[in-house]
Amino acid sequence: MSDMLSVSAIKNGTVIDHIVAGQALRIIYLLGLQKKNNLVTIGLNLRSKRLGIKDLIKIEDRILAEDEANETVIFAPAATINVIENFHVVHKIKTHLPSVAHGVFLCPNRLCVTQMEQMESCHYIHEQGKKITLICHYCEKEFDRDQVKVAV
Amino acid sequence: MSVNTKMTNSLYQKDVISFDDLTSLEVELILKIAKKIKEHGITYSIENKLIANCFFEPSTRTRLSFEAAALRMGGQVIGFPDDSSLSIRKGETLADTMRVIAGYADLIVIRHPREGSARLTAEVSDCPVINAGDGANQHPTQALIELFSIQECQSSLNGLSIALVGDLKYGRAIHSFIAACLLFDVRLYLVSPESLTLPDAICDKLKKRGMRFSFHQHIEEVIPKVDILYITRIQQERFTETEYQLIQNKFILTAKMLEKAKKNLKVLHPLPRVNEVALDVDQTPHAYYFQQANNGVVIRQALLALVLNEVIL
C-alpha cells in the first residue's frame, strides 16, 4: 500500500508531506491544529524513498498561510506542502526557513525573562548545514531545534 | 581607525544591552572619551539629567560607580539597591515597573537576575537603557572597563595573549569580555574546571571569527605565556561542598605562581574576589584589579556622557 493511501485522502485543504519522522506532533502544536475544528489526519512512521521513514499531516479545509508554511520548515526542512482542491494538488507552497519566529517557541532557559513575564518570545533561526538552531532574542542562549517546545 | 568626536555621536540615546550592540567605532569612542576624562581631566556634563539606578540584586562596584559617574558630571540619581521595596513583590510585572520608571528618568541602568531583562526593559522604555548585568548573560560595561584597563597597562589591545580563568560557563562578565575580544587580534587561553568550560555556542562563534584559543585546567601552565590573566570567582552554589573544595583549590592564584610570569603580565578580576586571588598577589607588580575597579567610574562617565549628549567634543 502506498504512503498516500495509508491515510485517507482529503477533498480540500493542505497536505504536509516528507516530515522527518517524529516531528509531526510538534508541527500540529506549531500550527495550533489541536485547537481548531478542521479535520486533521496524521501519518506517523510511513515508509519513504527519500527519508526512509517520514510523517505526514493532512488538514481539511485549511490552506496554510506563507508564514505558517515557513515555520513548519523549522521542524521539517524537507517538507513538501501541497494545496488540495477537489482531491487534486493545485499548488505547491514554496517555503524558506524564516530568520525569526515571534511567539512560536518557549525558551528552554529557565532563567530567561520570557519565563517570568507575560510576553511574546522571539527566536532567531540559524541553519548550519543540516543543523537548525534557535537563539533567544532576550537571554541570547542558543538551542538545538529539538530542545525547544512550541508555545501552546 | 580615526573617530571624529565632534560629530553627532551614534551612541546618543542608544541602548547598551549586549556587547554585540556596540560597533568597533563606538567602543573606540567610549575608550577615547574615558581616556580624556582620566588623563586630561576633561569634564563632560549631564546636568539636569536624571539617572534611574535600578538594581534588583546586590552590587557594590557597578551601582556605586554608575552613581559616582552621574554625580561627577552634574547628573542626578534615583533608584533602589534591591527589590525589597518594589511593587514587584505585589505581583507587578517587570515590564510595567520599568515602563513607569522610564517615565520618570532620562536613562535607566538595570541589573536583574533574569537573563534578557535588560533587553525587555529597553523595549518597553522611552529612554535609553544600560545593562548592568542580566543573570549569567551580559555585563557590557564591565567588558569596557577590562578593555580600558588593558589598553592602559599594556598600551595596546592587539597582539596580546589573554588567559580567562574561572567560571567561563555562567560568568556574564566573561561572556561580554569575550565578545569584546572579538574586536581585537588576541589569543585566548581558557582555564576552567571541565564543568564550567565555555559554552559551545560561544566556542563556535570564536572559531567562525578565526580567534585562536585553547582549553586548560591548570593556571600554572598558561602563566608564562600570557600578558593578561583575567580571573573570575567560581560560585559555590554550582557545586556540592566536596566538589567545590576540590575545584576551588585548583583555581587559586598565588604570588608564588606568578614567579614565572612575563614582566608585563597584569592580573585582572571583575571583583568581588573570595579567595581565588590570594592576598599576597596584591603586593606584586602584576596586580591590576583595583586600578581596574577604579576605571569603572571613568568608563561609566564616558558612556553616560555619550548616551545623553548628542554632540560631544
Side-chain angles (χ1 to χ4, degrees):
Chain A
M1 197 161 53
S2 80
D3 289 339
M4 291 302 284
L5 292 176
S6 303
V7 287
S8 58
I10 58 169
K11 186 176 180 187
N12 297 302
T14 308
V15 174
I16 310 171
D17 198 1
H18 300 110
I19 301 168
V20 177
Q23 298 291 347
L25 294 176
R26 303 181 92 193
I27 293 171
I28 296 286
Y29 283 108
L30 176 75
L31 299 174
L33 297 175
Q34 81 284 7
K35 294 185 284 193
K36 303 277 166 57
N37 289 327
N38 306 78
L39 181 69
V40 178
T41 315
I42 311 169
L44 301 178
N45 301 325
L46 306 174
R47 287 193 185 83
S48 163
K49 280 182 190 164
R50 205 200 298 177
L51 299 175
I53 53 169
K54 67 174 183 180
D55 292 348
L56 175 88
I57 300 170
K58 295 183 175 187
I59 312 156
E60 285 271 0
D61 298 323
R62 180 169 164 196
I63 312 295
L64 291 191
E66 195 184 325
D67 286 355
E68 291 176 313
N70 289 336
E71 282 167 3
T72 301
V73 179
I74 299 168
F75 294 118
T80 47
I81 304 178
N82 293 325
V83 177
I84 309 293
E85 276 180 26
N86 207 18
F87 298 104
H88 293 287
V89 175
V90 294
H91 175 56
K92 189 176 282 224
I93 301 177
K94 284 190 179 157
T95 56
H96 65 269
L97 192 67
S99 58
V100 62
H102 293 280
V104 177
F105 302 108
L106 294 174
C107 184
N109 175 9
R110 64 187 173 83
L111 294 174
C112 180
V113 71
T114 58
Q115 293 223 356
M116 177 184 84
E117 293 281 301
Q118 295 160 14
M119 59 186 288
E120 194 179 75
S121 69
C122 175
H123 289 87
Y124 301 107
I125 297 153
H126 285 217
E127 190 177 19
Q128 288 176 297
K130 285 184 178 177
K131 193 180 169 195
I132 292 175
T133 56
L134 291 91
I135 298 171
C136 176
H137 168 65
Y138 292 97
C139 71
E140 304 184 21
K141 297 280 179 297
E142 186 172 342
F143 305 97
D144 188 80
R145 179 193 64 182
D146 294 328
Q147 285 177 278
V148 295
K149 282 186 180 166
V150 174
V152 181
Chain B
M1 280 185 293
S2 69
V3 181
N4 183 354
T5 53
K6 286 180 185 173
M7 287 168 60
T8 302
N9 89 79
S10 60
L11 283 154
Y12 178 60
Q13 294 293 308
K14 181 172 176 161
D15 300 315
V16 180
I17 306 301
S18 183
F19 199 90
D20 287 340
D21 295 341
L22 298 169
T23 66
S24 55
L25 276 175
E26 287 168 345
V27 171
E28 193 187 343
L29 180 58
I30 296 164
L31 299 181
K32 187 172 177 172
I33 297 295
K35 194 172 178 182
K36 280 186 177 184
I37 296 168
K38 186 168 182 181
E39 291 180 13
H40 306 293
I42 293 173
T43 52
Y44 296 93
S45 172
I46 56 165
E47 212 172 323
N48 301 322
K49 300 291 183 190
L50 187 61
I51 314 300
N53 233 359
C54 305
F55 281 69
F56 291 81
E57 62 175 13
S59 162
T60 307
R61 276 151 294 276
T62 307
R63 185 171 65 84
L64 292 178
S65 62
F66 263 113
E67 198 166 328
L71 295 174
R72 280 180 183 276
M73 295 192 294
Q76 291 175 299
V77 182
I78 56 169
F80 44 87
D82 59 57
D83 66 356
S84 59
S85 58
L86 302 179
S87 289
I88 279 199
R89 290 282 175 103
K90 299 177 196 165
E92 187 178 34
T93 64
L94 175 67
D96 280 1
T97 304
M98 299 317 294
R99 189 178 278 127
V100 169
I101 293 172
Y104 303 156
D106 298 298
L107 182 144
I108 287 175
V109 176
I110 180 172
R111 168 171 290 186
H112 194 282
R114 286 275 171 176
E115 295 165 21
S117 49
R119 182 78 64 197
L120 171 65
T121 299
E123 288 175 356
V124 299
S125 301
D126 292 332
C127 67
V129 174
I130 296 178
N131 183 6
D134 60 330
N137 185 31
Q138 286 275 326
H139 195 352
T141 62
Q142 183 66 44
L144 288 166
I145 296 165
E146 304 357 346
L147 290 183
F148 185 77
S149 304
I150 292 171
Q151 193 174 51
E152 191 173 59
C153 66
Q154 302 289 347
S155 306
S156 173
L157 285 161
N158 287 303
L160 299 174
S161 291
I162 299 175
L164 304 178
V165 183
D167 181 352
L168 309 186
K169 187 174 182 181
Y170 299 104
R172 60 188 170 204
I174 288 279
H175 297 164
S176 287
F177 181 60
I178 287 175
C181 286
L182 284 167
L183 298 177
F184 303 95
D185 172 29
V186 295
R187 196 250 193 253
L188 297 182
Y189 293 86
L190 307 172
V191 189
S192 70
E194 219 173 321
S195 55
L196 292 179
T197 194
L198 201 64
D200 286 346
I202 300 179
C203 292
D204 290 346
K205 202 170 172 182
L206 295 181
K207 278 182 210 160
K208 258 189 231 165
R209 301 281 288 271
M211 170 83 77
R212 289 162 298 149
F213 65 98
S214 52
F215 296 95
H216 306 267
Q217 288 196 15
H218 301 280
I219 306 177
E220 288 98 322
E221 61 188 272
V222 304
I223 283 177
K225 299 172 185 170
V226 300
D227 307 295
I228 293 290
L229 194 144
Y230 183 31
I231 185 163
T232 61
R233 183 164 57 99
I234 291 175
Q235 292 180 39
Q236 190 168 359
E237 57 268 30
R238 311 263 185 233
F239 300 93
T240 64
E241 182 65 27
T242 324
E243 280 175 333
Y244 181 66
Q245 294 301 337
L246 214 68
I247 284 168
Q248 188 198 30
N249 293 336
K250 278 170 71 179
F251 292 88
I252 293 177
L253 181 71
T254 62
K256 188 165 175 47
M257 289 159 81
L258 289 166
E259 283 172 2
K260 289 178 184 166
K262 285 159 71 170
K263 214 173 174 182
N264 68 318
L265 181 143
K266 295 293 178 199
V267 178
L268 299 183
H269 190 304
L271 304 180
R273 70 171 153 180
V274 181
N275 58 357
E276 60 279 7
V277 180
L279 293 178
D280 60 6
V281 177
D282 297 0
Q283 311 308 320
T284 71
H286 302 294
Y288 208 73
Y289 28 88
F290 292 118
Q291 290 95 320
Q292 177 192 1
N294 290 342
N295 286 335
V297 178
V298 287
I299 275 293
R300 286 163 180 139
Q301 272 184 271
L303 196 55
L304 292 178
L306 286 160
V307 175
L308 291 171
N309 289 295
E310 190 169 6
V311 178
I312 199 152
L313 300 177

